[in-house]
Amino acid sequence: MITVHRVVAAIIAIMAFSCAAIAQVHSSGPGEASETAMEDALAAQARGLQLAEAYRSPPPVDAALLADALDLFARQVGDSSCGGTAHTPVLVPARSGAGQELYLLNTPGSARSFPLGGHYRLAIGADGELGPLTDLSGTCESIAWDPEDPQLPMRVYVTTYAPGSHPNEIHSFVSSQLPMSLGVITGELIWPMAGGYFAPPVPASEAGY
């Protein structure tokens, strides 16, 4: 469960990152997110927070299903998955309402960092058919921090997500695991995120990126 402290910290961090963002919620002019992108980002945020909740206490996954999924993963991805790191499996209902989705969430190797890359989603049809397997980050970045840094809550780690027009569920999930803010650049926009939540984007150039 997300604590009040984490929610308050997220709100403060987002406001510090971009206090002007709220004015852009319903606009879609140059340098602003479309209404569709905002709606899709909200859906991704909801799924990311669902993953964060499940990640803290992963529900059991059927052993045979997991074995088949990991076999498919090994054949399609293998050691190219950011060094062949371990993954935490999280099984959730498919967003389409039919079948399920198995997320293979990259596991941090340090208490001072969290991987942005190496996270995958595997579709599971209603008939049990596996696939496709989707790389949700397209990077092997790992976000590191100094826990002794007094300015850590106000720090921002910035990444570029070229494939999308908005942050996806992994950006929300990773943001929920960080002690600082995350900025996701999509095209000409940057999306401020903290505690798993995003604020409406602002032009990246105006934010200095």
Side-chain angles (χ1 to χ4, degrees):
M1 179 179 297
I2 298 174
T3 65
V4 172
H5 174 76
R6 286 178 64 86
V7 171
V8 172
I11 292 173
I12 292 174
I14 288 176
M15 290 178 64
F17 190 6
S18 177
C19 61
I22 300 301
Q24 301 190 22
V25 172
H26 299 296
S27 56
S28 57
E32 300 170 352
S34 68
E35 190 169 327
T36 298
M38 292 295 297
E39 292 174 352
D40 291 345
L42 281 171
Q45 174 182 280
R47 175 50 65 99
L49 294 172
Q50 182 184 20
L51 292 176
E53 185 70 24
Y55 180 77
R56 283 189 284 273
S57 182
V61 178
D62 178 77
L65 172 62
L66 182 58
D68 289 344
L70 292 178
D71 179 66
L72 176 65
F73 179 84
R75 286 187 280 109
Q76 293 193 9
V77 180
D79 290 340
S80 64
S81 173
C82 300
T85 51
H87 290 83
T88 297
V90 173
L91 187 65
V92 293
R95 292 158 296 174
S96 65
Q100 297 174 299
E101 291 178 328
L102 178 66
Y103 286 82
L104 298 173
L105 302 176
N106 202 354
T107 303
S110 167
R112 297 181 174 216
S113 66
F114 200 88
L116 180 60
H119 304 278
Y120 291 80
R121 182 182 64 225
L122 177 63
I124 304 173
D127 59 357
E129 182 179 357
L130 301 181
L133 179 68
T134 304
D135 181 351
L136 292 171
S137 50
T139 179
C140 277
E141 292 176 67
S142 182
I143 305 172
W145 58 84
D146 177 4
E148 304 300 324
D149 180 2
Q151 298 299 315
L152 182 58
M154 306 308 293
R155 301 290 184 195
V156 180
Y157 182 90
V158 176
T159 186
T160 298
Y161 182 54
S165 61
H166 58 82
N168 66 20
E169 63 262 44
I170 289 303
H171 295 111
S172 175
F173 164 68
V174 171
S175 170
S176 74
Q177 308 299 309
L178 300 178
M180 71 281 213
S181 298
L182 177 67
V184 180
I185 296 176
T186 61
E188 298 180 351
L189 300 176
I190 184 168
W191 300 71
M193 303 188 71
Y197 295 85
F198 76 89
V202 295
S205 59
E206 292 185 9
Y209 300 99

